[in-house]
């Protein structure tokens, strides 16, 4: 008489990458974050980790060494030539530009704004309109803080004496001096007599 015995599942069943919505049975094998796990009992929605529900079969290895640099690729096609422009003039506003030049040609450029602050407008051949491409030069920055006063330099050597200057003009007449002391009549008479005697002596 033949006797049959149901051993149940006896081989591993690969199930691929772990799916939290899937139901797993004993001996299923799932992959999770690069690791391989053996299912030990029926589970569903249980994240694989080494324990009562899963057994770690193969652990993810570390990063391998960096490979050699590959050969250089072929040279790409040459790019299109860039476009240059020359600013033809300046208008105070975009309306003034559009009034004077309702249409332009490729490469046409005009400044719009003041002489100190303006934007450049190029004619767009696709949009058929003047397009603002910004300012050629940004606005000036704020003035910096005043620096500290430097130290005084050393005193220079004394220069040579210059030549004598021309004589200045004659000065104004000064005020009269104080009156001298008075003379008595006796002194006057004595002086007259002396003068007369001197004249007589000279005549003889």
């Amino acid at each position: 008489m033949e006797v049959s015995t149901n051993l149940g599942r006896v081989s591993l069943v690969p199930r691929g990458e772990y799916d939290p919505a899937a139901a797993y049975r004993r001996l299923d094998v799932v992959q999770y974050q690069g690791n391989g796990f053996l299912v030990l009992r029926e589970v569903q929605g249980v994240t694989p980790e080494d324990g009562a529900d899963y057994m770690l079969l193969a652990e993810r290895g570390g990063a391998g060494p960096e490979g050699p640099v590959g050969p250089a690729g072929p040279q790409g096609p040459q790019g299109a030539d860039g476009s240059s422009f020359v600013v033809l003039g300046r208008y105070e506003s975009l309306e003034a530009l559009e009034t004077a030049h309702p249409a332009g040609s490729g490469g046409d450029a005009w400044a719009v704004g003041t002489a100190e602050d303006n934007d450049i407008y190029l004619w767009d051949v696709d949009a058929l309109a003047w397009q603002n491409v910004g300012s050629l030069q940004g606005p000036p920055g704020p003035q910096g803080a005043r620096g500290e006063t430097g130290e005084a330099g050393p005193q220079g050597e004394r220069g040579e004496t210059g030549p004598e200057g021309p004589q200045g003009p004659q000065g104004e007449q000064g005020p009269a001096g104080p009156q001298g002391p008075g003379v008595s009549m006796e002194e006057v008479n004595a002086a007259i007599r002396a003068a007369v005697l001197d004249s007589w002596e000279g005549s003889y």
Side-chain angles (χ1 to χ4, degrees):
M1 183 177 67
E2 294 182 359
V3 178
S4 62
T5 303
N6 185 4
L7 299 177
R9 307 180 77 184
V10 295
S11 62
L12 303 180
V13 180
R15 295 289 302 275
E17 192 68 24
Y18 168 73
D19 182 1
Y24 295 102
R25 299 172 56 194
R26 178 178 173 273
L27 297 182
D28 285 344
V29 177
V30 297
Q31 295 180 356
Y32 181 70
Q33 295 184 346
N35 302 319
F37 291 90
L38 174 64
V39 179
L40 301 179
R41 59 186 179 184
E42 293 186 1
V43 291
Q44 183 176 5
V46 179
T47 303
E49 62 179 357
D50 197 22
D53 298 321
Y54 300 92
M55 181 177 69
L56 180 62
L57 292 179
E59 188 174 3
R60 180 179 181 179
E66 184 176 354
V69 179
Q75 182 175 354
Q78 182 176 356
D81 293 336
S83 59
S84 61
F85 61 87
V86 177
V87 178
L88 303 176
R90 180 177 62 85
Y91 288 92
E92 295 294 331
S93 65
L94 177 59
E95 290 76 13
L97 170 61
E98 292 174 338
T99 300
H101 302 278
S105 301
D108 287 355
W110 293 87
V112 174
T114 64
E116 296 78 14
D117 183 14
N118 56 74
D119 290 337
I120 303 301
Y121 280 77
L122 290 178
W123 179 253
D124 190 329
V125 295
D126 296 324
L128 299 179
W130 295 104
Q131 298 292 332
N132 187 349
V133 297
S135 175
L136 291 180
Q137 182 178 359
Q143 182 176 357
R146 181 176 180 179
E148 299 180 359
T149 304
E151 299 180 359
Q155 184 174 356
E157 299 180 358
R158 182 175 181 178
E160 299 180 358
T161 303
E164 183 177 357
Q167 183 176 356
Q170 182 176 353
E172 299 179 359
Q173 183 176 354
Q179 185 176 358
V183 180
S184 64
M185 291 304 297
E186 290 79 5
E187 292 175 341
V188 172
N189 293 332
I192 293 174
R193 285 194 298 271
V196 172
L197 291 175
D198 290 339
S199 63
W200 284 352
E201 290 176 357
S203 61
Y204 289 99

